[in-house]
């Protein structure tokens, strides 16, 4: 196993992710920010944070697969969310949960950062996902 996920004693819990990941492989995969676009570049789920997160994670999985990786190899996920407010948390988590089984995303998640931003790639983009993975 190239990735070990853990939450050491004394770190804040419960959270839906581990605080620490240890990657022991030599191949590092960086998947650039993925947004809710289909293969032709068409917007998916306009105005719907949950739906956009689902598509962005599916695109992230495709990027990982292209490098021979899966979410099991991910040491860190970073989410950028436009106009973040705490009331968006449920929709955000719903997007992740909707594809957790489909994409074999570990539970708890690898270390996660959710960063609120003013805007992203285009005005309709509500969320962007970056993934970092390690393989032998």
């Amino acid at each position: 196993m190239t990735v070990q996920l853990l939450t050491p004693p004394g770190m804040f819990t419960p959270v839906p992710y581990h605080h620490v990941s240890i990657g022991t492989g030599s191949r590092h995969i960086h998947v650039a920010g993925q947004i809710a676009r289909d293969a032709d570049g068409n917007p998916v789920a306009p105005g719907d944070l949950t739906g956009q997160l689902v598509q962005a994670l599916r695109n992230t999985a495709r990027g990982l697969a292209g490098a021979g990786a899966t979410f099991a190899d991910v040491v860190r996920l970073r989410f950028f969310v436009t106009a973040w407010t705490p009331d968006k948390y449920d929709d955000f988590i719903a997007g992740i949960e909707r594809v957790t089984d489909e994409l074999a995303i570990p539970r708890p998640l690898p270390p996660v950062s959710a960063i609120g931003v003013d805007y992203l790639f285009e005005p309709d983009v509500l969320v962007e996902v970056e993934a970092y993975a390690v393989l032998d």
Side-chain angles (χ1 to χ4, degrees):
M1 172 184 278
T2 59
V3 176
Q4 178 187 0
L5 302 175
L6 63 120
T7 295
M11 294 191 85
F12 174 70
T13 59
V15 291
Y17 57 87
H18 285 285
H19 287 278
V20 177
S21 62
I22 302 166
T24 57
S26 58
R27 290 183 56 221
H28 294 243
I29 294 97
H30 299 263
V31 179
Q34 296 300 300
I35 60 174
R37 295 286 191 266
D38 65 18
D40 296 321
N42 298 310
V44 175
D48 175 13
L49 177 60
T50 299
Q52 286 198 19
L53 193 50
V54 165
Q55 182 66 33
L57 285 166
R58 286 177 177 149
N59 291 344
T60 302
R62 286 181 188 98
L64 290 166
T70 69
F71 276 99
D73 303 306
V74 170
V75 295
R76 179 175 186 68
L77 289 169
R78 185 172 289 140
F79 297 88
F80 298 93
V81 185
T82 60
W84 175 260
T85 56
D87 63 309
K88 293 182 179 184
Y89 181 79
D90 289 341
D91 292 337
F92 178 81
I93 293 298
I96 296 170
E97 290 176 347
R98 189 176 297 171
V99 291
T100 297
D101 291 336
E102 172 190 333
L103 302 177
I105 298 173
R107 290 182 197 169
L109 296 166
V112 168
S113 294
I115 302 162
V117 296
D118 291 333
Y119 57 88
L120 287 163
F121 178 68
E122 292 182 356
D124 65 299
V125 177
L126 302 178
V127 65
E128 184 172 312
V129 182
E130 293 180 347
Y132 307 93
V134 176
L135 294 174
D136 282 331

